[in-house]
Amino acid sequence: MKKLQQIYEGKAKKVFATDDPDVVLVDYKDDATAFNGLKKGTITGKGVINNRVTNFLMQMLEKNGIPTHYIEEISDRETLVKKVDIVPLEVIVRNIAAGSLSKRLGVPEGTKLKKTVIEYCYKNDDLGDPMVNEYHIAAMGWATEEEVKLIAGYSLKINKLLSSFLKQSNIELIDFKLEFGKTSDGTIVLADEISPDTCRFWDSKTHEKLDKDRFRRDLGGVEDAYQEILKRLMGE
Ligand code: UDP
């Protein structure tokens, strides 16, 4: 597969065309942003870790019946994935209160939720990714009601699979963000990444934060936390 021209550059990844119109190459960067791009920095080694962790978890999910965009890891930072049209939604799944939910509802971080919560945000940086519901999604035509049902079903199954998988490595899955895309034949697949950038991972026993909150909140030990996740999952 040939790496051709860059077609997109996001906050954490670049995307390149390949000689197959149905395949693109994702290249993970060390750049980190938070608060809708207001805070910027570098997390050395993050691109390598997020590439490897994402691919490892995507393969685990695929084996367990979740269709994903993953095709093949081709280097430390580069992966071939199916070309998709991204559904312009961030799907947030929450098991334990943290972050914006704690702020919005006045619930202390770490409070176990009685039921898993799914939230949708409209992917739009200029608008600050506003939260929307199923009615907005159908009204705006971002996805059909059937597609939203499928996405919600996948998200809950992913939550079950990821939570129990991570538990074996003493990692508690607090919450996470997913993105889905549509392939050229119309199939909805899991896309984007699953990494310490997009999930809250706490040590099961000490509740130490092992994710991007260390960067967002200037807690220090950012690189070590990302490395620790890689080590616990893949033994390195
Ligand atoms: N998240 C993300 N990208 C975003 C917003 C949130 O990956 O643009 C993830 C975040 O890492 C956390 C979960 O989604 O695991 C819930 O985030 P929250 O709504 O609490 O927002 P935050 O506190 O991160 O601003």
Side-chain angles (χ1 to χ4, degrees):
M1 197 81 57
K2 260 208 206 96
K3 184 175 183 179
L4 301 177
Q5 79 283 4
Q6 184 177 311
I7 48 182
Y8 174 77
E9 177 159 10
K11 284 174 269 191
K13 302 185 277 295
K14 294 177 186 172
V15 181
F16 294 84
T18 70
D19 47 7
D20 182 335
D22 287 327
V23 178
V24 295
L25 185 154
V26 179
D27 190 333
Y28 285 75
K29 306 189 286 185
D30 284 351
D31 300 354
T33 62
F35 313 118
N36 198 20
L38 259 113
K39 184 180 170 91
K40 289 194 176 72
T42 302
I43 302 174
T44 307
K46 173 172 86 81
V48 172
I49 293 170
N50 285 0
N51 183 41
R52 303 196 57 202
V53 167
T54 294
N55 294 340
F56 183 69
L57 295 175
M58 289 257 182
Q59 287 175 86
M60 183 280 287
L61 293 172
E62 190 85 55
K63 273 185 211 135
N64 285 282
I66 304 291
T68 78
H69 73 164
Y70 176 78
I71 300 175
E72 188 189 0
E73 185 171 294
I74 55 168
S75 80
D76 267 1
R77 287 177 189 273
E78 295 168 309
T79 295
L80 296 175
V81 300
K82 291 175 192 158
K83 186 180 169 70
V84 296
D85 286 328
I86 289 284
V87 177
L89 297 173
E90 299 196 337
V91 181
I92 293 173
V93 182
R94 302 178 182 275
N95 298 306
I96 309 266
S100 69
L101 178 128
S102 288
K103 255 201 198 139
R104 197 173 350 113
L105 303 182
V107 194
E109 284 212 320
T111 308
K112 187 170 167 32
L113 300 168
K114 291 189 177 71
K115 188 175 191 269
T116 301
V117 170
I118 296 189
E119 294 168 355
Y120 303 101
C121 294
Y122 172 44
K123 257 174 79 75
N124 185 312
D125 283 339
D126 294 338
L127 300 176
D129 299 341
M131 194 190 293
V132 296
N133 65 28
E134 288 91 338
Y135 290 89
H136 298 111
I137 297 169
M140 300 303 294
W142 295 322
T144 66
E145 284 178 66
E146 289 69 34
E147 286 168 345
V148 175
K149 271 191 199 139
L150 189 65
I151 286 172
Y154 284 152
S155 299
L156 291 175
K157 188 168 175 199
I158 292 166
N159 183 42
K160 284 216 170 105
L161 290 166
L162 274 182
S163 295
S164 58
F165 189 77
L166 292 164
K167 206 172 182 180
Q168 298 167 33
S169 304
N170 274 311
I171 299 165
E172 191 171 11
L173 184 58
I174 306 302
D175 59 28
F176 58 99
K177 184 264 299 178
L178 300 172
E179 294 184 25
F180 292 85
K182 242 188 202 181
T183 60
S184 58
D185 68 5
T187 310
I188 299 264
V189 298
L190 177 65
D192 196 48
E193 63 179 288
I194 308 174
S195 73
D197 269 10
T198 63
C199 304
R200 285 197 169 91
F201 294 140
W202 291 5
D203 180 278
S204 300
K205 294 202 182 80
T206 66
H207 304 306
E208 186 192 356
K209 292 179 180 22
L210 299 170
D211 56 56
K212 196 166 146 188
D213 272 346
R214 300 206 77 84
F215 169 78
R216 291 189 190 99
R217 303 178 187 187
D218 296 318
L219 299 176
V222 185
E223 279 88 359
D224 286 350
Y226 279 69
Q227 199 66 50
E228 180 65 22
I229 291 296
L230 181 71
K231 187 175 138 200
R232 288 199 196 181
L233 290 179
M234 308 184 65
E236 304 162 31

